[in-house]
Coordinates of all heavy atoms in Angstrom, one line a residue:
M1 N 17.3 24.9 14.9 CA 17.9 25.4 13.7 C 16.9 25.3 12.5 O 16.3 24.2 12.3 CB 19.2 24.7 13.4 CG 19.9 25.1 12.2 SD 21.5 24.3 12.0 CE 22.5 25.6 12.1
A2 N 16.7 26.3 11.8 CA 15.8 26.3 10.7 C 16.4 25.5 9.5 O 17.6 25.5 9.3 CB 15.4 27.7 10.2
R3 N 15.5 24.8 8.8 CA 15.9 24.0 7.7 C 16.1 24.9 6.5 O 15.3 25.8 6.2 CB 14.8 23.0 7.4 CG 15.3 22.0 6.4 CD 14.2 20.9 6.3 NE 14.4 20.2 5.0 CZ 13.4 19.6 4.4 NH1 12.3 19.5 5.0 NH2 13.7 19.0 3.3
K4 N 17.2 24.7 5.7 CA 17.5 25.5 4.6 C 16.6 25.2 3.4 O 16.4 24.0 3.1 CB 19.0 25.3 4.2 CG 19.5 26.2 3.2 CD 21.0 25.9 2.9 CE 21.5 26.7 1.8 NZ 22.9 26.4 1.4
A5 N 16.1 26.2 2.7 CA 15.3 25.9 1.6 C 16.1 25.4 0.4 O 17.3 25.8 0.2 CB 14.6 27.2 1.2
P6 N 15.5 24.5 -0.4 CA 16.3 24.0 -1.5 C 16.5 25.1 -2.6 O 15.7 26.0 -2.8 CB 15.3 22.9 -2.1 CG 14.0 23.2 -1.6 CD 14.2 24.0 -0.3
G7 N 17.7 25.0 -3.2 CA 18.1 26.0 -4.2 C 17.4 25.7 -5.6 O 16.7 24.7 -5.7
R8 N 17.7 26.6 -6.5 CA 17.1 26.4 -7.8 C 17.6 25.1 -8.5 O 16.8 24.5 -9.3 CB 17.4 27.6 -8.7 CG 16.7 28.8 -8.3 CD 17.1 30.0 -9.2 NE 16.4 31.2 -8.8 CZ 16.4 32.3 -9.4 NH1 17.1 32.4 -10.5 NH2 15.8 33.3 -9.0
W9 N 18.8 24.7 -8.3 CA 19.4 23.6 -8.9 C 18.6 22.3 -8.5 O 18.3 21.5 -9.3 CB 20.9 23.4 -8.6 CG 21.4 22.0 -8.8 CD1 21.8 21.2 -7.9 CD2 21.5 21.4 -10.1 NE1 22.2 20.0 -8.5 CE2 22.0 20.1 -9.8 CE3 21.2 21.7 -11.4 CZ2 22.2 19.2 -10.8 CZ3 21.4 20.8 -12.4 CH2 22.0 19.6 -12.1
H10 N 18.3 22.2 -7.2 CA 17.5 21.1 -6.7 C 16.1 21.0 -7.3 O 15.6 20.0 -7.6 CB 17.5 21.1 -5.2 CG 18.7 20.7 -4.5 ND1 19.0 19.4 -4.1 CD2 19.8 21.4 -4.2 CE1 20.2 19.3 -3.6 NE2 20.7 20.6 -3.7
V11 N 15.5 22.2 -7.3 CA 14.1 22.2 -7.9 C 14.1 21.9 -9.4 O 13.3 21.1 -9.9 CB 13.4 23.6 -7.6 CG1 12.1 23.6 -8.3 CG2 13.3 23.8 -6.2
T12 N 15.1 22.4 -10.1 CA 15.2 22.1 -11.5 C 15.5 20.7 -11.8 O 14.9 20.1 -12.7 CB 16.3 23.0 -12.2 OG1 16.0 24.4 -11.9 CG2 16.4 22.8 -13.7
S13 N 16.4 20.1 -11.0 CA 16.7 18.7 -11.1 C 15.5 17.8 -10.9 O 15.3 16.8 -11.6 CB 17.9 18.4 -10.2 OG 18.2 17.0 -10.4
R14 N 14.7 18.2 -9.9 CA 13.5 17.3 -9.6 C 12.5 17.5 -10.7 O 11.8 16.5 -11.1 CB 12.9 17.8 -8.3 CG 13.8 17.3 -7.1 CD 13.2 17.8 -5.8 NE 14.2 17.7 -4.7 CZ 14.3 16.6 -4.0 NH1 13.5 15.5 -4.2 NH2 15.2 16.6 -3.0
V15 N 12.4 18.7 -11.3 CA 11.4 18.8 -12.4 C 11.9 18.0 -13.6 O 11.1 17.4 -14.3 CB 11.3 20.3 -12.8 CG1 10.5 20.5 -14.1 CG2 10.6 21.1 -11.6
V16 N 13.2 18.1 -13.9 CA 13.7 17.3 -15.0 C 13.6 15.8 -14.8 O 13.2 15.0 -15.7 CB 15.2 17.7 -15.3 CG1 15.9 16.7 -16.3 CG2 15.3 19.1 -15.8
A17 N 13.8 15.4 -13.5 CA 13.7 14.0 -13.2 C 12.2 13.5 -13.3 O 12.0 12.4 -13.7 CB 14.1 13.7 -11.7
A18 N 11.3 14.4 -13.0 CA 9.9 14.0 -13.1 C 9.4 14.0 -14.6 O 8.6 13.2 -15.0 CB 9.0 15.0 -12.3
A19 N 10.0 14.9 -15.4 CA 9.6 15.0 -16.8 C 10.2 14.0 -17.7 O 9.5 13.4 -18.5 CB 9.9 16.4 -17.3
I20 N 11.4 13.6 -17.5 CA 12.1 12.7 -18.5 C 12.2 11.3 -17.9 O 11.5 10.4 -18.4 CB 13.4 13.3 -19.0 CG1 13.1 14.6 -19.7 CG2 14.1 12.3 -19.9 CD1 14.3 15.4 -20.0
P21 N 13.0 11.1 -16.9 CA 13.1 9.7 -16.4 C 11.8 9.2 -15.8 O 11.5 8.0 -15.8 CB 14.3 9.7 -15.4 CG 15.0 11.0 -15.6 CD 14.0 11.9 -16.2
G22 N 11.1 10.1 -15.1 CA 9.8 9.6 -14.5 C 8.8 9.2 -15.6 O 8.2 8.1 -15.4
L23 N 8.8 9.8 -16.7 CA 7.9 9.4 -17.7 C 8.4 8.1 -18.4 O 7.6 7.3 -18.7 CB 7.8 10.5 -18.8 CG 6.6 10.4 -19.8 CD1 5.3 10.3 -19.1 CD2 6.6 11.6 -20.7
I24 N 9.7 8.0 -18.6 CA 10.2 6.8 -19.2 C 10.0 5.6 -18.2 O 9.6 4.5 -18.7 CB 11.8 7.0 -19.4 CG1 12.0 8.0 -20.5 CG2 12.4 5.6 -19.8 CD1 13.4 8.4 -20.7
L25 N 10.2 5.8 -16.9 CA 9.9 4.7 -16.0 C 8.4 4.3 -16.0 O 8.1 3.1 -16.0 CB 10.3 5.1 -14.6 CG 10.0 4.1 -13.5 CD1 10.7 2.8 -13.8 CD2 10.4 4.7 -12.1
T26 N 7.5 5.3 -16.1 CA 6.1 5.0 -16.1 C 5.8 4.2 -17.4 O 5.0 3.3 -17.3 CB 5.3 6.3 -16.1 OG1 5.7 7.0 -14.9 CG2 3.8 6.0 -16.1
N27 N 6.3 4.6 -18.5 CA 6.0 3.9 -19.8 C 6.6 2.5 -19.8 O 5.9 1.6 -20.2 CB 6.6 4.7 -21.0 CG 5.7 5.9 -21.3 OD1 4.6 5.9 -21.0 ND2 6.4 6.9 -21.8
T28 N 7.8 2.3 -19.3 CA 8.3 0.9 -19.3 C 7.6 0.1 -18.3 O 7.4 -1.1 -18.6 CB 9.8 0.9 -18.9 OG1 10.0 1.6 -17.7 CG2 10.7 1.6 -20.0
L29 N 7.1 0.6 -17.2 CA 6.3 -0.1 -16.2 C 4.9 -0.5 -16.9 O 4.4 -1.6 -16.7 CB 6.1 0.6 -15.0 CG 5.4 -0.1 -13.8 CD1 6.2 -1.3 -13.4 CD2 5.3 0.8 -12.6
A30 N 4.4 0.4 -17.6 CA 3.1 0.1 -18.3 C 3.3 -1.0 -19.3 O 2.4 -1.8 -19.5 CB 2.5 1.4 -18.9
I31 N 4.4 -0.9 -20.0 CA 4.6 -2.0 -21.0 C 4.8 -3.4 -20.3 O 4.2 -4.4 -20.7 CB 5.9 -1.7 -21.9 CG1 5.6 -0.5 -22.7 CG2 6.3 -2.9 -22.7 CD1 6.8 0.1 -23.4
L32 N 5.5 -3.3 -19.2 CA 5.7 -4.6 -18.5 C 4.4 -5.1 -17.9 O 4.1 -6.3 -18.0 CB 6.7 -4.4 -17.3 CG 7.0 -5.6 -16.4 CD1 7.6 -6.7 -17.2 CD2 7.9 -5.1 -15.3
L33 N 3.6 -4.2 -17.4 CA 2.3 -4.6 -16.8 C 1.3 -5.1 -17.9 O 0.5 -6.0 -17.7 CB 1.6 -3.4 -16.1 CG 2.1 -3.0 -14.8 CD1 1.4 -1.7 -14.3 CD2 1.9 -4.2 -13.8
S34 N 1.4 -4.6 -19.1 CA 0.6 -5.1 -20.2 C 0.9 -6.5 -20.6 O 0.1 -7.3 -21.0 CB 0.7 -4.2 -21.4 OG 2.0 -4.3 -22.0
F35 N 2.2 -6.9 -20.3 CA 2.5 -8.3 -20.5 C 2.1 -9.2 -19.4 O 1.8 -10.4 -19.5 CB 4.0 -8.5 -20.7 CG 4.5 -8.1 -22.1 CD1 5.3 -7.0 -22.2 CD2 4.2 -8.9 -23.2 CE1 5.7 -6.6 -23.5 CE2 4.6 -8.5 -24.4 CZ 5.4 -7.4 -24.6
L36 N 2.1 -8.7 -18.1 CA 1.8 -9.5 -16.9 C 0.4 -9.6 -16.6 O 0.0 -10.5 -15.9 CB 2.6 -8.9 -15.8 CG 4.1 -8.9 -15.9 CD1 4.8 -8.2 -14.7 CD2 4.6 -10.3 -16.0
L37 N -0.5 -8.6 -17.0 CA -1.9 -8.6 -16.6 C -2.6 -9.7 -17.3 O -2.4 -10.0 -18.4 CB -2.5 -7.3 -16.9 CG -2.1 -6.1 -16.0 CD1 -2.7 -4.8 -16.5 CD2 -2.5 -6.4 -14.5
P38 N -3.5 -10.4 -16.5 CA -4.3 -11.5 -17.2 C -5.3 -11.0 -18.1 O -5.7 -9.8 -18.1 CB -4.9 -12.2 -16.0 CG -5.0 -11.2 -14.9 CD -3.8 -10.2 -15.1
G39 N -5.9 -11.8 -18.9 CA -7.0 -11.5 -19.8 C -6.4 -11.3 -21.2 O -5.3 -11.6 -21.5
D40 N -7.3 -10.8 -22.1 CA -6.9 -10.6 -23.5 C -6.0 -9.4 -23.6 O -5.9 -8.6 -22.7 CB -8.1 -10.5 -24.4 CG -9.0 -9.3 -24.0 OD1 -8.8 -8.8 -22.9 OD2 -9.8 -8.9 -24.9
K41 N -5.3 -9.3 -24.7 CA -4.3 -8.3 -24.9 C -4.8 -6.9 -24.8 O -4.2 -6.0 -24.2 CB -3.5 -8.6 -26.2 CG -2.2 -8.0 -26.2 CD -1.4 -8.5 -25.1 CE 0.0 -8.7 -25.3 NZ 0.7 -9.0 -24.0
I42 N -6.0 -6.7 -25.5 CA -6.5 -5.3 -25.5 C -6.9 -4.8 -24.1 O -6.6 -3.7 -23.7 CB -7.7 -5.3 -26.4 CG1 -7.3 -5.5 -27.9 CG2 -8.4 -3.9 -26.4 CD1 -8.4 -5.7 -28.9
T43 N -7.5 -5.7 -23.3 CA -7.9 -5.3 -22.0 C -6.6 -5.1 -21.1 O -6.6 -4.1 -20.3 CB -8.7 -6.4 -21.3 OG1 -9.9 -6.6 -22.2 CG2 -9.2 -6.0 -20.0
A44 N -5.6 -5.9 -21.3 CA -4.4 -5.7 -20.5 C -3.7 -4.4 -20.8 O -3.2 -3.7 -19.9 CB -3.4 -6.9 -20.7
V45 N -3.6 -4.1 -22.1 CA -3.0 -2.8 -22.5 C -3.8 -1.6 -22.0 O -3.2 -0.6 -21.5 CB -2.8 -2.8 -24.0 CG1 -2.4 -1.4 -24.5 CG2 -1.8 -3.8 -24.5
A46 N -5.1 -1.7 -22.1 CA -5.9 -0.6 -21.6 C -5.8 -0.4 -20.1 O -5.7 0.7 -19.6 CB -7.4 -0.8 -22.0
T47 N -5.8 -1.5 -19.4 CA -5.7 -1.5 -17.9 C -4.3 -0.9 -17.5 O -4.2 -0.1 -16.6 CB -5.9 -2.8 -17.3 OG1 -7.1 -3.3 -17.7 CG2 -5.8 -2.8 -15.8
A48 N -3.3 -1.4 -18.2 CA -1.9 -0.9 -17.9 C -1.8 0.6 -18.2 O -1.1 1.4 -17.4 CB -0.9 -1.7 -18.7
T49 N -2.4 1.1 -19.2 CA -2.4 2.5 -19.6 C -3.1 3.3 -18.6 O -2.6 4.4 -18.1 CB -3.0 2.7 -21.0 OG1 -2.3 1.9 -21.9 CG2 -2.9 4.2 -21.4
V50 N -4.2 2.9 -18.1 CA -5.0 3.6 -17.1 C -4.2 3.6 -15.8 O -4.1 4.7 -15.1 CB -6.4 3.0 -16.9 CG1 -7.1 3.7 -15.7 CG2 -7.2 3.3 -18.2
L51 N -3.6 2.5 -15.4 CA -2.8 2.4 -14.2 C -1.6 3.3 -14.3 O -1.1 3.8 -13.3 CB -2.4 1.0 -13.9 CG -3.4 0.1 -13.3 CD1 -2.8 -1.3 -13.2 CD2 -3.8 0.6 -11.9
S52 N -1.1 3.5 -15.5 CA 0.2 4.3 -15.6 C -0.1 5.8 -15.2 O 0.8 6.4 -14.7 CB 0.7 4.3 -17.0 OG -0.2 5.0 -17.9
Y53 N -1.3 6.3 -15.3 CA -1.6 7.7 -14.9 C -1.4 7.8 -13.4 O -0.9 8.7 -12.9 CB -3.0 8.1 -15.3 CG -3.1 8.3 -16.8 CD1 -3.9 7.4 -17.6 CD2 -2.5 9.3 -17.5 CE1 -4.0 7.5 -18.9 CE2 -2.6 9.5 -18.8 CZ -3.3 8.6 -19.6 OH -3.4 8.8 -20.9
A54 N -2.0 6.8 -12.7 CA -1.9 6.8 -11.2 C -0.4 6.6 -10.8 O 0.1 7.2 -9.8 CB -2.8 5.7 -10.6
I55 N 0.3 5.7 -11.5 CA 1.7 5.5 -11.2 C 2.5 6.7 -11.4 O 3.4 7.1 -10.5 CB 2.2 4.3 -12.0 CG1 1.5 3.0 -11.6 CG2 3.7 4.2 -11.9 CD1 1.8 1.8 -12.5
Y56 N 2.3 7.4 -12.4 CA 3.0 8.6 -12.7 C 2.8 9.7 -11.7 O 3.7 10.4 -11.2 CB 2.7 9.2 -14.1 CG 3.6 10.3 -14.6 CD1 5.0 10.1 -14.6 CD2 3.1 11.5 -15.1 CE1 5.8 11.1 -15.0 CE2 3.9 12.5 -15.5 CZ 5.3 12.3 -15.5 OH 6.1 13.3 -15.9
G57 N 1.5 9.8 -11.2 CA 1.2 10.8 -10.2 C 1.9 10.4 -8.9 O 2.5 11.3 -8.2
A58 N 1.9 9.2 -8.5 CA 2.6 8.7 -7.3 C 4.1 8.9 -7.4 O 4.8 9.3 -6.5 CB 2.3 7.3 -7.0
L59 N 4.6 8.7 -8.6 CA 6.1 8.9 -8.9 C 6.5 10.3 -8.7 O 7.5 10.6 -8.1 CB 6.4 8.3 -10.2 CG 7.9 8.1 -10.6 CD1 8.4 7.1 -9.6 CD2 8.0 7.6 -12.0
I60 N 5.6 11.2 -9.2 CA 5.9 12.7 -9.0 C 5.9 13.1 -7.6 O 6.8 13.8 -7.1 CB 5.0 13.5 -9.9 CG1 5.3 13.3 -11.4 CG2 5.0 15.0 -9.5 CD1 4.3 14.0 -12.3
L61 N 4.9 12.5 -6.8 CA 4.9 12.8 -5.4 C 6.1 12.3 -4.7 O 6.7 13.0 -3.8 CB 3.6 12.2 -4.8 CG 2.3 12.9 -5.1 CD1 1.2 12.1 -4.5 CD2 2.3 14.3 -4.6
W62 N 6.6 11.1 -5.1 CA 7.8 10.6 -4.5 C 9.0 11.4 -4.8 O 9.9 11.7 -4.0 CB 8.0 9.1 -5.0 CG 9.3 8.5 -4.5 CD1 9.5 8.0 -3.2 CD2 10.5 8.3 -5.2 NE1 10.8 7.6 -3.1 CE2 11.4 7.7 -4.3 CE3 10.8 8.6 -6.5 CZ2 12.7 7.4 -4.7 CZ3 12.1 8.3 -6.9 CH2 13.0 7.7 -6.0
I63 N 9.1 11.8 -6.1 CA 10.3 12.6 -6.5 C 10.4 13.9 -5.7 O 11.5 14.3 -5.3 CB 10.2 13.0 -8.0 CG1 10.4 11.7 -8.8 CG2 11.1 14.1 -8.4 CD1 10.1 11.8 -10.3
F64 N 9.3 14.6 -5.4 CA 9.3 15.8 -4.7 C 9.3 15.6 -3.1 O 9.4 16.6 -2.4 CB 8.2 16.8 -5.1 CG 8.5 17.4 -6.4 CD1 8.1 16.8 -7.6 CD2 9.3 18.5 -6.5 CE1 8.4 17.4 -8.8 CE2 9.6 19.1 -7.7 CZ 9.2 18.5 -8.9
S65 N 9.1 14.4 -2.7 CA 9.1 14.2 -1.2 C 10.4 13.7 -0.7 O 10.6 13.8 0.5 CB 7.9 13.3 -0.8 OG 8.1 12.0 -1.3
V66 N 11.2 13.0 -1.5 CA 12.5 12.5 -1.0 C 13.4 13.6 -0.8 O 13.5 14.6 -1.5 CB 13.0 11.5 -2.1 CG1 14.4 11.0 -1.7 CG2 12.1 10.3 -2.2
Q67 N 14.2 13.5 0.4 CA 15.1 14.6 0.7 C 16.3 14.6 -0.1 O 16.8 15.7 -0.5 CB 15.4 14.4 2.2 CG 14.2 14.6 3.1 CD 14.5 15.5 4.3 OE1 15.7 15.7 4.6 NE2 13.5 16.0 4.9
R68 N 16.9 13.5 -0.4 CA 18.2 13.4 -1.1 C 17.9 13.3 -2.6 O 17.3 12.4 -3.1 CB 19.0 12.3 -0.6 CG 19.4 12.4 0.9 CD 20.4 11.4 1.3 NE 21.6 11.6 0.5 CZ 22.7 11.0 0.7 NH1 22.8 10.1 1.6 NH2 23.7 11.2 -0.1
L69 N 18.5 14.2 -3.3 CA 18.4 14.2 -4.8 C 19.0 13.0 -5.4 O 18.5 12.5 -6.4 CB 19.0 15.5 -5.3 CG 18.6 15.9 -6.7 CD1 17.1 16.0 -6.9 CD2 19.3 17.3 -7.1
R70 N 20.1 12.5 -4.8 CA 20.8 11.4 -5.4 C 19.9 10.1 -5.3 O 19.9 9.3 -6.2 CB 22.1 11.1 -4.6 CG 22.9 9.9 -5.1 CD 24.1 9.7 -4.2 NE 24.9 10.9 -4.1 CZ 25.9 11.0 -3.3 NH1 26.3 10.0 -2.5 NH2 26.7 12.1 -3.3
T71 N 19.1 10.0 -4.2 CA 18.2 8.9 -4.1 C 17.2 8.9 -5.2 O 16.8 7.8 -5.8 CB 17.5 9.0 -2.7 OG1 18.5 9.0 -1.7 CG2 16.6 7.8 -2.5
V72 N 16.7 10.1 -5.6 CA 15.7 10.2 -6.7 C 16.3 9.7 -8.0 O 15.7 8.8 -8.6 CB 15.2 11.7 -6.8 CG1 14.4 11.9 -8.1 CG2 14.5 12.1 -5.6
W73 N 17.5 10.2 -8.3 CA 18.0 9.8 -9.6 C 18.4 8.3 -9.6 O 18.2 7.6 -10.6 CB 19.2 10.7 -9.9 CG 18.8 12.0 -10.4 CD1 18.6 13.2 -9.7 CD2 18.3 12.3 -11.8 NE1 18.2 14.2 -10.5 CE2 18.0 13.7 -11.8 CE3 18.2 11.6 -12.9 CZ2 17.5 14.3 -12.9 CZ3 17.8 12.2 -14.1 CH2 17.4 13.5 -14.1
I74 N 19.0 7.8 -8.6 CA 19.4 6.4 -8.5 C 18.1 5.5 -8.6 O 18.1 4.5 -9.3 CB 20.2 6.1 -7.3 CG1 21.6 6.7 -7.4 CG2 20.3 4.6 -7.1 CD1 22.5 6.6 -6.2
G75 N 17.1 5.9 -7.9 CA 15.8 5.2 -7.9 C 15.2 5.1 -9.2 O 14.7 4.1 -9.7
L76 N 15.2 6.3 -9.9 CA 14.6 6.4 -11.2 C 15.3 5.6 -12.3 O 14.8 4.8 -13.0 CB 14.5 7.8 -11.7 CG 13.4 8.7 -11.0 CD1 13.5 10.1 -11.4 CD2 12.0 8.2 -11.3
L77 N 16.7 5.7 -12.3 CA 17.5 5.0 -13.3 C 17.5 3.5 -13.0 O 17.4 2.8 -14.0 CB 18.9 5.6 -13.3 CG 19.0 7.1 -13.7 CD1 20.4 7.6 -13.7 CD2 18.4 7.3 -15.1
S78 N 17.6 3.1 -11.8 CA 17.5 1.6 -11.5 C 16.1 1.1 -11.9 O 16.0 0.0 -12.4 CB 17.9 1.3 -10.1 OG 17.1 1.9 -9.2
G79 N 15.1 1.8 -11.6 CA 13.7 1.4 -11.9 C 13.6 1.3 -13.4 O 12.9 0.3 -13.9
I80 N 14.1 2.2 -14.2 CA 14.1 2.1 -15.7 C 14.8 0.9 -16.2 O 14.2 0.1 -17.0 CB 14.7 3.4 -16.3 CG1 13.7 4.6 -16.1 CG2 14.9 3.2 -17.8 CD1 14.3 5.9 -16.5
V81 N 15.9 0.6 -15.6 CA 16.7 -0.6 -16.1 C 15.9 -1.9 -15.8 O 15.8 -2.8 -16.6 CB 18.1 -0.6 -15.4 CG1 18.8 -1.9 -15.6 CG2 18.9 0.5 -15.9
V82 N 15.4 -2.0 -14.6 CA 14.7 -3.2 -14.2 C 13.4 -3.4 -15.0 O 13.1 -4.5 -15.5 CB 14.4 -3.2 -12.6 CG1 13.4 -4.3 -12.3 CG2 15.7 -3.3 -11.8
T83 N 12.6 -2.3 -15.1 CA 11.3 -2.5 -15.8 C 11.6 -2.7 -17.3 O 10.8 -3.4 -18.0 CB 10.4 -1.3 -15.6 OG1 11.1 -0.1 -15.9 CG2 9.9 -1.3 -14.2
A84 N 12.6 -2.0 -17.9 CA 12.8 -2.2 -19.3 C 13.4 -3.6 -19.6 O 13.0 -4.2 -20.6 CB 13.8 -1.1 -19.8
A85 N 14.2 -4.1 -18.7 CA 14.7 -5.5 -18.9 C 13.6 -6.5 -18.7 O 13.5 -7.5 -19.5 CB 15.8 -5.8 -17.9
G86 N 12.7 -6.3 -17.8 CA 11.5 -7.1 -17.6 C 10.6 -7.1 -18.8 O 10.1 -8.1 -19.3
A87 N 10.4 -5.9 -19.4 CA 9.5 -5.8 -20.5 C 10.2 -6.5 -21.7 O 9.5 -7.1 -22.5 CB 9.2 -4.3 -20.8
W88 N 11.5 -6.3 -21.9 CA 12.2 -6.9 -23.0 C 12.1 -8.4 -22.9 O 11.9 -9.1 -23.9 CB 13.6 -6.4 -23.1 CG 14.4 -7.1 -24.1 CD1 14.4 -6.8 -25.5 CD2 15.3 -8.2 -23.9 NE1 15.3 -7.6 -26.1 CE2 15.8 -8.5 -25.2 CE3 15.7 -8.9 -22.8 CZ2 16.7 -9.5 -25.4 CZ3 16.6 -9.9 -23.0 CH2 17.1 -10.2 -24.3
L89 N 12.3 -8.9 -21.7 CA 12.3 -10.4 -21.4 C 10.9 -10.9 -21.7 O 10.8 -12.0 -22.4 CB 12.7 -10.7 -20.0 CG 12.7 -12.1 -19.6 CD1 13.8 -12.9 -20.4 CD2 12.9 -12.3 -18.1
M90 N 9.9 -10.2 -21.3 CA 8.5 -10.7 -21.6 C 8.2 -10.7 -23.1 O 7.6 -11.6 -23.6 CB 7.5 -9.9 -20.8 CG 7.6 -10.0 -19.3 SD 7.3 -11.7 -18.7 CE 5.6 -12.0 -19.1
Y91 N 8.7 -9.7 -23.8 CA 8.5 -9.6 -25.2 C 9.2 -10.7 -25.9 O 8.7 -11.4 -26.8 CB 9.0 -8.2 -25.7 CG 8.9 -8.1 -27.2 CD1 7.7 -7.9 -27.9 CD2 10.1 -8.3 -28.0 CE1 7.7 -7.9 -29.3 CE2 10.1 -8.2 -29.4 CZ 8.9 -8.0 -30.0 OH 8.8 -7.9 -31.4
T92 N 10.4 -11.0 -25.5 CA 11.2 -12.1 -26.1 C 10.6 -13.4 -25.8 O 10.5 -14.3 -26.8 CB 12.6 -12.0 -25.5 OG1 13.2 -10.8 -25.7 CG2 13.5 -13.1 -26.2
L93 N 10.1 -13.6 -24.6 CA 9.4 -14.9 -24.3 C 8.1 -15.1 -25.1 O 7.8 -16.2 -25.6 CB 9.1 -15.0 -22.8 CG 10.4 -15.2 -21.9 CD1 9.9 -15.1 -20.4 CD2 11.1 -16.5 -22.2
E94 N 7.4 -14.0 -25.2 CA 6.1 -14.1 -26.0 C 6.4 -14.3 -27.5 O 5.6 -15.0 -28.2 CB 5.3 -12.8 -25.8 CG 3.9 -13.0 -26.3 CD 3.0 -11.8 -25.9 OE1 2.7 -11.8 -24.6 OE2 2.6 -11.0 -26.7
A95 N 7.4 -13.6 -28.0 CA 7.7 -13.8 -29.4 C 8.3 -15.2 -29.7 O 8.0 -15.7 -30.8 CB 8.8 -12.7 -29.8
A96 N 8.9 -15.8 -28.8 CA 9.5 -17.2 -29.0 C 8.4 -18.2 -28.9 O 8.6 -19.3 -29.5 CB 10.5 -17.4 -28.0
S97 N 7.3 -18.0 -28.2 CA 6.3 -19.0 -28.1 C 5.3 -18.9 -29.2 O 5.2 -18.1 -30.1 CB 5.5 -18.8 -26.8 OG 4.9 -17.6 -26.7

């Protein structure tokens, strides 16, 4: 039995997922990495920014390779929550010290 091609809704949803939540997840992960990477602050921020390009590319590949659309959205939204909470926690800890 031939596999059914995805409809316009699925393609549009994946493009929106890659453009908005994918970019938000990449940015929150880059912020978290800038707190976690060793070295001085400027080097950590520059390294996290460069890594974010590779992370965003990998994230786009993942978004378009996963079969279930629900998995994409749940993965992106839960990733945003976890990385944003981690970044906020690291910022709070650094501001308190």
Side-chain angles (χ1 to χ4, degrees):
M1 179 177 243
R3 190 170 159 206
K4 186 178 175 184
R8 288 183 182 185
W9 163 247
H10 284 267
V11 174
T12 303
S13 181
R14 288 177 196 271
V15 169
V16 169
I20 299 172
L23 193 57
I24 293 171
L25 176 59
T26 303
N27 285 331
T28 56
L29 186 59
I31 293 169
L32 179 62
L33 284 175
S34 69
F35 283 111
L36 296 177
L37 289 174
D40 61 344
K41 204 54 149 172
I42 294 173
T43 305
V45 170
T47 304
T49 303
V50 170
L51 281 175
S52 70
Y53 291 109
I55 292 168
Y56 190 53
L59 194 61
I60 289 173
L61 288 176
W62 176 75
I63 288 170
F64 282 96
S65 67
V66 172
Q67 295 226 340
R68 296 188 63 171
L69 197 55
R70 181 183 306 169
T71 304
V72 169
W73 281 97
I74 290 173
L76 287 173
L77 295 179
S78 61
I80 289 170
V81 169
V82 169
T83 56
W88 176 79
L89 180 65
M90 294 302 293
Y91 174 77
T92 304
L93 291 175
E94 190 170 292
S97 62

